[in-house]
Amino acid sequence: MQRRSFLRNFSLATIVLGAPAISSAAGTNAKQRTVSGKVHSNGKGIAGVAVTDGYTVVATDAQGNYSFEADARAEFVYISTPAGYAFNQQNHIAWFYQSLAADQLAAKADFSLEKLAVDDTRHQFVVWADTQMISQADCDQLKTTAVPDLKALVASYPKDSLFHGIGCGDLVWDKFQFFKDYKEAIAATGVTFFNVIGNHDMDLDARTDDYSSKTFKQQFGPTYYSYNRGQVHYVVLDDVFFVGTAKKYIGYITENQLQWLENDLKMVKPGTTVVLSVHIPTNTGAARRAKKEEEMGGTVTNRKQLYKILAPYKVHIMSGHTHFNEAWEEGNIMEHNHGTVCGAWWTGPICGDGTPMGYGVYEVNGSDIEWYYKATGKEKEHQLRVYEKGRLKEAPTEIVANVWNWDTKWKVEWWEDGVAKGTMEQRVARDPWAIELYAGPSLPSKHPFVEPTLADHLFFAKPSAGAKQIIVKATDRFGKQYSETINLA
């Protein structure tokens, strides 16, 4: 995401009027297109694999064969890789699709899969949000910071641990020549990545949203799809709706995708854990914190319709876009809006809310998921930062703790000179270091538009006048405890 003036009063009706014109391509005068093939491993067919053209979803038969009439608009035929099989990849970019030529009336597409040598019930994945390079210098930073950090993280797990990655959109910053560098970075990690389209990955000269993903599709394939690992079903959607004017968009999921998702989930048992990745978060607390109207480019406007489709499942939503870190949950859904790999657009070591540049790490065991935030260049245990009295000018007599991966099931406590003082007070505020780095029209010099942002994950306490040492302990929802100590004397 780049900070800009969004379309506050833009009428959704004026946007969706464009949809029927596209739909008419599949009308009664369209020639029938058929696609068929086999999904197999070493020649042996795999039954029950979901195959789709982005509209219809079918399952392979007992011999691994499939055949269906493809939609006239279909650009790809692709599979939802089943659990127990390795992800096909090209230089560690996930490859699960084959292209369909527009004039191809009878297409054949076979998919060969390799059986995993280890049980995938336990596995890990990482979420890289907003790598967002606009210069070669940015690309170099990605390769020299995030890449070795991820490699070291993977190496810290037992041998043969299964890892995959999710590139959660804004892979570049409108400079498509840097897709090459993004791919080089991914290849260097050794981790296979599935990728999400972001608002800075779109063709800005497209006349409608329908054509805004042309370059992305050439690089990474379909913009919405699914795959499976262990007991988890993973889904990727495109929730960036381009409105036909450069750099103008809303958060919106098209009817085509919602219909496809309904069809895709028909093959998924209710109660299954579903991990859904999008670029624009479906919802955040930004408008509440700022006490203003929600921006249409900041969240998904038709999210409630999405939530209805997801109602039978245990859902974790992965998102980026905002350059801050936040988690919320309600009912069967928890959303993880990630701090960014690029921090504040490669201008400093932290995001606007004080979250370190970094990424989310998720550990899956069966249908359960645990997670933490990995700050680039820091140990896994680096989960909070404590500021001394006076660092935040608005609270001159208080210490401030930033616990960036906090959610409502965390506990944040403090000790003064060895004496337990209880829980700290949570407030909406700006991170002191972010203010120092980014506040004002001239900071940071590289991108002056960057500003510190309000966050829910700041905690306050007022030490005694003679206090010498403060310890802050943060306990996450899984019982893991992290602490930071500052000396005041």
Side-chain angles (χ1 to χ4, degrees):
M1 174 185 174
Q2 181 182 6
R3 195 182 60 192
R4 58 174 62 87
S5 176
F6 290 110
L7 306 177
R8 293 180 180 274
N9 299 312
F10 199 88
S11 169
L12 280 177
T14 65
I15 296 171
V16 298
L17 285 175
I22 294 296
S23 300
S24 65
T28 56
N29 294 326
K31 294 182 179 180
Q32 180 173 316
R33 306 171 73 194
T34 60
V35 59
S36 61
K38 184 174 185 176
V39 182
H40 64 91
S41 181
N42 294 322
K44 183 179 180 180
I46 307 172
V49 178
V51 185
T52 184
D53 61 349
Y55 301 90
T56 299
V57 180
V58 299
T60 56
D61 64 18
Q63 289 74 45
N65 297 312
Y66 72 91
S67 180
F68 63 93
E69 182 178 342
D71 193 277
R73 298 161 289 177
E75 300 173 73
F76 303 97
V77 57
Y78 47 106
I79 63 170
S80 183
T81 303
Y85 291 87
F87 298 133
N88 286 340
Q89 47 85 19
Q90 294 180 345
N91 294 320
H92 294 289
I93 298 295
W95 181 84
F96 51 91
Y97 59 92
Q98 296 186 38
S99 297
L100 291 175
D103 58 352
Q104 196 173 11
L105 298 182
K108 184 172 177 61
D110 294 341
F111 295 88
S112 176
L113 297 174
E114 180 181 347
K115 191 78 174 174
L116 284 169
V118 296
D119 180 11
D120 62 357
T121 302
R122 284 182 176 268
H123 64 273
Q124 290 73 226
F125 66 94
V126 300
V127 178
W128 272 18
D130 301 75
T131 44
Q132 201 158 345
M133 300 87 70
I134 200 172
S135 68
Q136 189 59 54
D138 293 349
C139 297
D140 294 342
Q141 283 198 71
L142 174 68
K143 294 175 183 178
T144 57
T145 58
V147 168
D149 193 272
L150 179 52
K151 290 176 69 175
L153 176 81
V154 173
S156 72
Y157 280 75
K159 186 180 179 182
D160 298 325
S161 294
L162 294 173
F163 267 88
H164 73 276
I166 298 169
C168 215
D170 282 2
L171 311 182
V172 297
W173 189 351
D174 303 328
K175 302 290 186 181
F176 292 161
Q177 66 267 32
F178 296 133
F179 279 140
K180 174 178 177 292
D181 292 87
Y182 174 79
K183 288 184 171 183
E184 289 173 352
I186 296 304
T189 69
V191 174
T192 296
F193 268 69
F194 294 83
N195 295 288
V196 180
I197 189 170
N199 52 288
H200 287 293
D201 304 317
M202 299 189 303
D203 295 275
L204 300 179
D205 58 352
R207 70 182 188 181
T208 65
D209 178 69
D210 305 284
Y211 301 103
S212 64
S213 56
K214 178 181 177 181
T215 301
F216 182 92
K217 289 176 180 176
Q218 291 170 348
Q219 297 287 333
F220 303 103
T223 58
Y224 58 95
Y225 54 91
S226 68
Y227 56 97
N228 303 274
R229 176 144 279 184
Q231 297 176 22
V232 179
H233 184 65
Y234 292 85
V235 177
V236 169
L237 294 179
D238 169 8
D239 68 351
V240 184
F241 194 101
F242 177 66
V243 299
T245 301
K247 300 192 178 184
K248 292 291 191 283
Y249 56 88
I250 64 168
Y252 179 78
I253 300 174
T254 61
E255 176 63 20
N256 285 341
Q257 290 186 81
L258 294 177
Q259 287 185 18
W260 170 84
L261 180 61
E262 288 176 322
N263 291 331
D264 176 77
L265 291 177
K266 286 177 182 177
M267 298 180 63
V268 179
K269 181 180 177 181
T272 297
T273 296
V274 173
V275 172
L276 168 65
S277 297
V278 292
H279 178 59
I280 296 176
T282 66
N283 199 12
T284 75
R288 167 183 52 80
R289 289 189 290 271
K291 298 179 181 179
K292 64 179 183 179
E293 183 181 352
E294 187 175 276
E295 295 175 333
M296 294 182 69
T299 58
V300 174
T301 57
N302 58 338
R303 58 180 174 265
K304 291 184 179 179
Q305 303 307 316
L306 173 66
Y307 298 162
K308 288 179 182 178
I309 296 173
L310 297 171
Y313 305 95
K314 180 182 177 182
V315 181
H316 290 269
I317 299 175
M318 308 292 155
S319 57
H321 187 60
T322 62
H323 293 244
F324 57 66
N325 207 66
E326 179 179 15
W328 64 267
E329 62 183 316
E330 183 177 341
N332 67 312
I333 294 175
M334 183 167 192
E335 180 159 4
H336 310 260
N337 185 211
H338 294 81
T340 63
V341 173
C342 72
W345 293 266
W346 300 109
T347 62
I350 59 174
C351 301
D353 66 338
T355 300
M357 59 197 306
Y359 50 96
V361 183
Y362 296 82
E363 300 173 331
V364 182
N365 182 10
S367 61
D368 296 326
I369 304 178
E370 294 189 8
W371 57 88
Y372 59 92
Y373 186 88
K374 177 62 177 68
T376 302
K378 301 289 187 179
E379 298 298 320
K380 297 177 184 178
E381 292 73 27
H382 182 59
Q383 296 296 323
L384 70 156
R385 186 186 309 114
V386 181
Y387 298 100
E388 66 276 14
K389 289 191 298 182
R391 189 73 177 271
L392 184 63
K393 305 307 182 205
E394 300 167 4
T397 63
E398 295 175 290
I399 62 164
V400 182
N402 191 335
V403 187
W404 41 81
N405 212 33
W406 173 86
D407 62 56
T408 57
K409 293 185 179 178
W410 282 60
K411 182 167 62 174
V412 182
E413 303 166 288
W414 69 295
W415 279 255
E416 178 183 290
D417 295 331
V419 178
K421 305 296 284 186
T423 58
M424 298 182 72
E425 180 186 354
Q426 179 197 5
R427 293 185 211 154
V428 174
R430 293 177 173 84
D431 178 85
W433 193 16
I435 293 171
E436 295 163 6
L437 290 173
Y438 307 135
S442 60
L443 291 176
S445 59
K446 182 177 178 179
H447 297 307
F449 67 82
V450 176
E451 289 289 337
T453 55
L454 292 168
D456 289 323
H457 47 73
L458 293 172
F459 297 82
F460 294 76
K462 187 176 181 178
S464 303
K468 294 179 174 59
Q469 186 184 74
I470 302 296
I471 299 174
V472 176
K473 294 181 180 179
T475 306
D476 72 12
R477 63 195 289 137
F478 310 112
K480 296 176 183 177
Q481 191 174 90
Y482 311 95
S483 66
E484 288 288 328
T485 301
I486 60 169
N487 294 313
L488 301 181

